[in-house]
Amino acid sequence: MLVMKGIVKQFPGVRALDGVDLDVRAGEVHCLLGQNGAGKSTLIKVLAGAHQPDEGTISFNGAEVRPGSPIDAIKLGFATIYQELDLVDGLSVAENIFLGHEHARLGFVNRAAGRRAAREVLERLGHPEIRPSAEVGRLPPAAKQVVSMARALSHEARLIIMDEPSAALAHDEVANLFRIIRELTAQGVAVVYISHRLEEIREIGDRVTVLKDGRTVAVGLPARETPTQRIVSLMTGRNVEYVFPPRGGREPGEEVLRVEGLSSPGVFGDVSFSVRAGEIVGLAGLVGSGRSEILEAVYGARPATGRVLLDGRPVRRGVVGTVRRGMGLAPEERKAQALLLDQSVTANITLGTLPGFARFGWIDRKRERAEAQRLSELLDIRPPDPERPIRTLSGGNQQKAVLARWLLGGRKLLLLDEPTRGVDVGARAELYAVIHDLAERGIGVLLVSSEVPEVLGLADRVLVLREGTVIHEGEAGELDEHAVLDMIMNGRAA
Amino acid sequence: MGEPTTKAAPALPSIRGIGEMRHLGLLGALALLVVVGLITRPENFATASNLVSILSLAATIGVITVGATFVIIGGGIDLSVGAVMALASVWATTVATQSYGPVVVAICAILVGTGAGLLNGWLIAYGRLVPFIATLAMLVAARGLAQRMSDRKTQLISEGNFSIVELSTTRLLGIPLLVYIFALVVVLGWILLNRTTFGRRTYAVGGNPEAARLAGIDVRRHSMLLYGLSGLCCGIAAILIMARTTTGSSTHGDLYELDAIAAVIIGGTLLTGGRGTIVGSILGLLIFTLITNLFILNGLNTSDQLIAKGLIIVVAVLLQRRNLKERAP
Ligand SMILES: Nc1ncnc2c1ncn2[C@@H]1O[C@H](COP(=O)(O)OP(=O)(O)OP(=O)(O)O)[C@@H](O)[C@H]1O
Ligand SMILES: [Mg+2]
């Protein structure tokens, strides 16, 4: 149905796509795999009309097409869910869904019709609870993801492109997403699906195309049968052990963080726990169970009642104070909450610990750059040039920079919210090693992840959250994935 | 103009060059205006006295533009600059202030400017007023207060304080001292913006306030300081205008806010914050001043001059948009 041949896309200083081929059949789920920065997002932006290719041809149903703008692409029947959310925060859910193709007559928007149609799409997505009139800026990230999915579905598309749609979704939401994808493909719609989670590819994918450094290295592999080893080595060019570093050998020290009776009405209630130096504590729970909100409250970025003590002394509310006392938060939504897109990688990495690089306000740029360089290398941020604007990095590489920010400046406690969101398999193993290393050096880590295996594999101790309350606390080694999933979904204690 | 071409050779480290390339465009525009001046008025454009008058004219708004650049990069806007400068000039030239001598006159102008700026900042950062509204209110109120204090009369600088006026009459290498003050403000502004934590935070606060907050920056305090800085620049500008005109008056600096904001925009600073440069703003300002000068030298009327300026703003913004589009997703 769709054939792309020899696509080349050049950015200043990088050849993001260097002759990529892709062929997608009607009614299939075609997965696009590749390391961070391999060119996946760029390829789909070419399809979506957001980038113009320098070379190569695209044909759709036999005819050559050239989507010159996003509008062209939509007219062709291509709908796209971008990796970075592209919603207008100030508009309502319904307005966002129908942005550009409003229910209108003679230029007057028919809001009632728009809301009705929005409700229908949202129901189809299994989210009747999202109100069409709600302001998008106030929704949690997962709901935003649903809205951008609803937007793609609102076009009568024949090809739907999804760039890491599951990165912001929890387990049950992903199941929901898959149900919709199956409905679509049954109607003959083709889906191009990008994800770094191989299990998902196995479950939903039909065929796989692998990109490496802007080139196609494998086309049309069967998604279910191809061994993981082979896929990973195609992606990375080496064999990566997709495992967690061994636990043990680490003896947690003094208590760094103590949280007592932390509550925020309607979000979470009476949460108490502690984190010791050199200990990794994981928070497992569904999106909306209050995980991220608890991190923000501990960090002082969100009002809450209760006590938060760092090193035995209560912290004052307000991020300025907690950062000064040695906390750091890597937030969930990198684009909205963490990044300065126009600034260099260096400036983004050092933002939280800038005073440490300055004397009387004067920044020691040499030292700053050297540290940024060191961290880029440690986390393998690509391209390895910290002076580039961070906007030009791929999603996964931006995520590494978000983490890098708090590896500096003697933190005592790190709050990591979805630290590996959008990071590829190879780099993930490296990030795990880095997090372990932090703990080894005596830093306390509080970790939130939608991926239960990640929480279990990385954490020493796990708190299971459901609807804002802690329903279980235990050693990670004594839990398995099923038990945790059962608890977070059904509230049954182990 | 300076936008990244998609066909650049792979090895070009061009990303870093973009900023400078845009400045090249501005320099080109400036050069063009100079050529126009040389052709249309060969006898009096390139004279020392004309160049000095261009620079002295640019100096006052220039100092204000430096402050405005900070505020706009920080995601705000300051409409009150002209009025605050007028108020500072009036306050500094009251009989009472002048009786203490020139140093106090200068300090008074600076304190009034900074105070008004901090008040703006406080209302915006802690009172949660929209910058546009808060500074609009300050514009009106500061002008009103200036009129009241001066009884709508122009206040002359007394003989005893003539060292203020000497800033414009004394020359070093043929250039009046006030131009050096302008240059000094530009250099200090550049250093503050590019080499210090304050500058880095200004970009952060303007570019993504939520990210700045979560990175542990005191966003509110920083915003307040930005308006204070703008006020400080207005105070310095007040000294310069007193030097140039030998007066303090409630009518000084009328519509300076528009010129300053226009210069910043032409210089490539985004009104949405987070991006921009001092050098760009100063080049934008010089372009603006040069146009005024050319129109005056050629005896064209001021309405045409305004139309030309309007066009330039539009063209500059259109070029910026093209720059942005290249980088959009
Ligand atoms: N606007 C841009 N300007 C310059 N370089 C860019 C731009 N956009 C992307 N690149 C570069 O192109 C390459 C491919 O990026 P792309 O976003 O397509 O990667 P990806 O495969 O989607 O990675 P990820 O899994 O991290 O999302 C990267 O090296 C990136 O730095
Ligand atoms: Mg991507």
Side-chain angles (χ1 to χ4, degrees):
Chain A
M1 178 160 97
L2 174 85
V3 180
M4 299 176 87
K5 268 215 171 74
I7 305 287
V8 172
K9 175 70 192 173
Q10 179 89 48
F11 288 116
V14 230
R15 219 172 159 83
L17 299 178
D18 190 14
V20 171
D21 302 326
L22 180 71
D23 92 282
V24 182
R25 298 180 192 150
E28 77 165 344
V29 177
H30 197 103
C31 298
L32 211 48
L33 286 177
Q35 275 182 293
N36 294 132
K40 305 178 297 292
S41 298
T42 308
L43 183 69
I44 66 119
K45 281 180 190 163
V46 165
L47 254 187
H51 284 325
Q52 304 312 309
D54 299 326
E55 281 169 41
T57 57
I58 307 173
S59 57
F60 187 58
N61 287 336
E64 182 161 333
V65 294
R66 215 159 222 293
S69 70
I71 299 165
D72 285 0
I74 289 168
K75 285 198 182 123
L76 284 167
F78 303 169
T80 312
I81 301 172
Y82 291 103
Q83 179 173 17
E84 307 295 342
L85 297 174
D86 57 342
L87 302 172
V88 184
D89 275 350
L91 295 181
S92 73
V93 168
E95 283 162 336
N96 263 290
I97 293 178
F98 295 105
L99 198 66
H101 61 132
E102 292 85 0
H103 291 261
R105 179 167 295 174
L106 305 173
F108 290 97
V109 176
N110 182 346
R111 305 223 295 185
R115 292 203 177 144
R116 221 173 309 123
R119 196 165 303 126
E120 263 167 42
V121 186
L122 289 169
E123 261 165 33
R124 193 167 148 215
L125 283 166
H127 282 275
E129 85 286 358
I130 300 178
R131 283 180 306 118
S133 58
E135 192 183 313
V136 159
R138 297 179 186 277
L139 296 178
K144 287 186 185 171
Q145 183 73 47
V146 173
V147 174
S148 68
M149 228 137 55
R151 177 197 277 181
L153 289 184
S154 73
H155 304 281
E156 292 301 316
R158 285 179 291 167
L159 173 71
I160 299 190
I161 306 154
M162 304 185 177
D163 197 353
E164 299 190 32
S166 58
L169 298 180
H171 198 83
D172 58 330
E173 310 254 342
V174 176
N176 213 344
L177 172 68
F178 286 177
R179 183 178 54 75
I180 294 156
I181 291 180
R182 288 198 185 99
E183 269 174 44
L184 289 168
T185 49
Q187 294 160 16
V189 174
V191 174
V192 174
Y193 190 90
I194 301 179
S195 173
H196 288 294
R197 300 183 185 164
L198 290 178
E199 331 73 83
E200 292 178 8
I201 310 293
R202 300 272 185 231
E203 189 176 342
I204 193 77
D206 294 308
R207 292 189 308 145
V208 174
T209 292
V210 182
L211 296 187
K212 180 168 191 304
D213 302 333
R215 293 210 179 107
T216 317
V217 289
V219 282
L221 298 175
R224 266 164 275 260
E225 290 89 58
T226 316
T228 303
Q229 273 296 314
R230 176 156 153 68
I231 294 186
V232 172
S233 72
L234 276 170
M235 275 168 60
T236 60
R238 61 205 161 99
N239 285 325
V240 181
E241 299 275 315
Y242 180 40
V243 288
F244 298 96
R247 223 187 308 264
R250 229 171 342 107
E251 209 31 66
E254 298 272 294
E255 192 172 272
V256 238
L257 175 75
R258 164 152 220 95
V259 175
E260 290 171 358
L262 200 65
S263 303
S264 168
V267 191
F268 54 84
D270 201 20
V271 174
S272 303
F273 61 91
S274 65
V275 179
R276 292 193 283 164
E279 186 184 36
I280 304 176
V281 174
L283 286 178
L286 295 178
V287 173
S289 62
R291 311 172 307 189
S292 304
E293 287 80 3
I294 291 174
L295 287 198
E296 283 175 15
V298 169
Y299 194 49
R302 153 187 289 273
T305 56
R307 298 216 308 159
V308 177
L309 299 105
L310 194 66
D311 285 337
R313 284 190 297 132
V315 298
R316 279 194 302 142
R317 294 266 169 261
V319 177
V320 180
T322 50
V323 168
R324 205 168 288 151
R325 293 273 306 273
M327 288 199 204
L329 168 77
E332 177 175 22
E333 223 184 310
R334 56 177 170 261
K335 198 169 156 194
Q337 300 182 297
L339 295 177
L340 306 173
L341 287 172
D342 287 318
Q343 302 297 314
S344 67
V345 175
T346 303
N348 272 282
I349 289 181
T350 57
L351 186 67
T353 47
L354 206 52
F357 290 98
R359 186 181 278 181
F360 304 118
W362 184 278
I363 300 173
D364 181 349
R365 302 206 309 156
K366 229 162 122 190
R367 200 155 62 79
E368 185 193 17
R369 220 172 297 157
E371 279 293 284
Q373 185 79 42
R374 183 178 68 78
L375 286 168
S376 298
E377 277 161 23
L378 179 71
L379 300 183
D380 193 23
I381 296 177
R382 277 185 241 182
D385 172 10
E387 292 310 298
R388 276 173 100 62
I390 201 151
R391 177 192 293 284
T392 67
L393 260 59
S394 78
N397 284 302
Q398 291 177 357
Q399 180 65 34
K400 295 182 208 164
V402 171
L403 273 188
R405 177 176 298 166
W406 294 117
L407 302 187
L408 289 170
R411 298 290 106 186
K412 288 186 189 138
L413 177 72
L414 287 186
L415 312 168
L416 308 178
D417 200 349
E418 304 283 3
T420 59
R421 181 170 174 181
V423 173
D424 71 50
V425 222
R428 215 171 258 235
E430 273 150 45
L431 287 190
Y432 293 153
V434 167
I435 293 173
H436 261 256
D437 191 49
L438 289 173
E440 211 115 281
R441 295 203 319 243
I443 294 171
V445 177
L446 187 56
L447 169 90
V448 163
S449 171
S450 292
E451 290 174 56
V452 175
E454 187 167 288
V455 175
L456 292 179
L458 216 48
D460 304 308
R461 213 145 45 76
V462 178
L463 304 179
V464 182
L465 274 173
R466 189 177 150 79
E467 288 166 5
T469 40
V470 178
I471 58 168
H472 179 86
E473 179 174 350
E475 297 293 314
E478 292 162 10
L479 289 166
D480 65 22
E481 192 179 348
H482 280 290
V484 175
L485 278 176
D486 205 35
M487 281 190 272
I488 63 180
M489 307 272 219
N490 311 320
R492 228 169 294 144
Chain B
M1 256 169 76
E3 53 185 274
T5 53
T6 37
K7 288 178 193 70
L12 269 186
S14 41
I15 293 287
R16 242 165 293 165
I18 294 172
E20 289 91 66
M21 269 161 74
R22 184 172 48 228
H23 292 164
L24 272 186
L26 290 172
L27 280 173
L30 210 53
L32 194 73
L33 289 173
V34 170
V35 171
V36 171
L38 288 174
I39 293 173
T40 56
R41 289 279 136 186
E43 68 287 4
N44 44 19
F45 177 75
T47 58
S49 76
N50 188 47
L51 293 183
V52 164
S53 89
I54 290 175
L55 285 178
S56 318
L57 203 65
T60 323
I61 304 190
V63 170
I64 289 181
T65 303
V66 171
T69 307
F70 274 89
V71 169
I72 293 176
I73 292 177
I77 191 102
D78 189 350
L79 299 177
S80 68
V81 285
V84 167
M85 182 187 84
L87 177 62
S89 79
V90 166
W91 205 316
T93 51
T94 56
V95 179
T97 322
Q98 292 215 46
S99 67
Y100 293 103
V103 175
V104 172
V105 168
I107 290 177
C108 172
I110 286 179
L111 286 183
V112 170
T114 313
L118 285 174
L119 181 59
N120 271 334
W122 186 80
L123 288 172
I124 291 162
Y126 296 95
R128 312 228 170 192
L129 287 185
V130 179
F132 193 93
I133 309 278
T135 58
L136 186 64
M138 177 60 79
L139 184 164
V140 179
R143 275 257 184 248
L145 184 58
Q147 285 176 0
R148 183 132 229 230
M149 287 183 89
S150 64
D151 240 349
R152 295 180 186 248
K153 291 196 189 81
T154 301
Q155 299 175 157
L156 286 175
I157 292 198
S158 64
E159 208 124 332
N161 293 320
F162 248 54
S163 33
I164 295 271
V165 179
E166 277 164 16
L167 290 177
S168 87
T169 52
T170 310
R171 295 181 178 212
L172 200 67
L173 307 172
I175 296 169
L177 286 183
L178 63 85
V179 174
Y180 290 99
I181 295 183
F182 167 45
L184 186 68
V185 170
V186 171
V187 170
L188 290 179
W190 187 89
I191 291 175
L192 187 63
L193 189 60
N194 294 288
R195 289 289 180 269
T196 68
T197 53
F198 184 88
R200 193 64 74 68
R201 288 178 175 167
T202 302
Y203 283 105
V205 166
N208 190 343
E210 176 67 2
R213 185 178 79 100
L214 290 180
I217 294 171
D218 193 337
V219 175
R220 285 202 213 161
R221 195 177 76 115
H222 194 85
S223 305
M224 184 170 89
L225 291 180
L226 285 175
Y227 288 93
L229 182 67
S230 174
L232 169 67
C233 288
C234 295
I236 299 174
I239 299 174
L240 300 190
I241 201 149
M242 289 188 289
R244 228 179 61 214
T245 63
T246 70
T247 63
S249 160
S250 61
T251 60
H252 277 332
D254 198 25
L255 296 186
Y256 271 26
E257 59 278 0
L258 295 189
D259 279 1
I261 294 168
V264 174
I265 293 175
I266 293 173
T269 296
L270 290 186
L271 271 186
T272 45
R275 239 158 61 97
T277 60
I278 298 260
V279 177
S281 298
I282 297 307
L283 289 175
L285 176 78
L286 289 178
I287 289 177
F288 244 47
T289 319
L290 215 54
I291 289 176
T292 313
N293 184 255
L294 289 177
F295 272 75
I296 293 171
L297 286 183
N298 284 296
L300 297 169
N301 77 38
T302 45
S303 326
D304 293 343
Q305 181 189 323
L306 290 178
I307 296 173
K309 284 184 174 178
L311 283 176
I312 292 204
I313 297 177
V314 173
V315 170
V317 171
L318 285 178
L319 287 173
Q320 267 189 35
R321 260 244 291 281
R322 277 189 44 198
N323 265 327
L324 277 184
K325 222 164 142 187
E326 274 294 314
R327 308 173 317 147

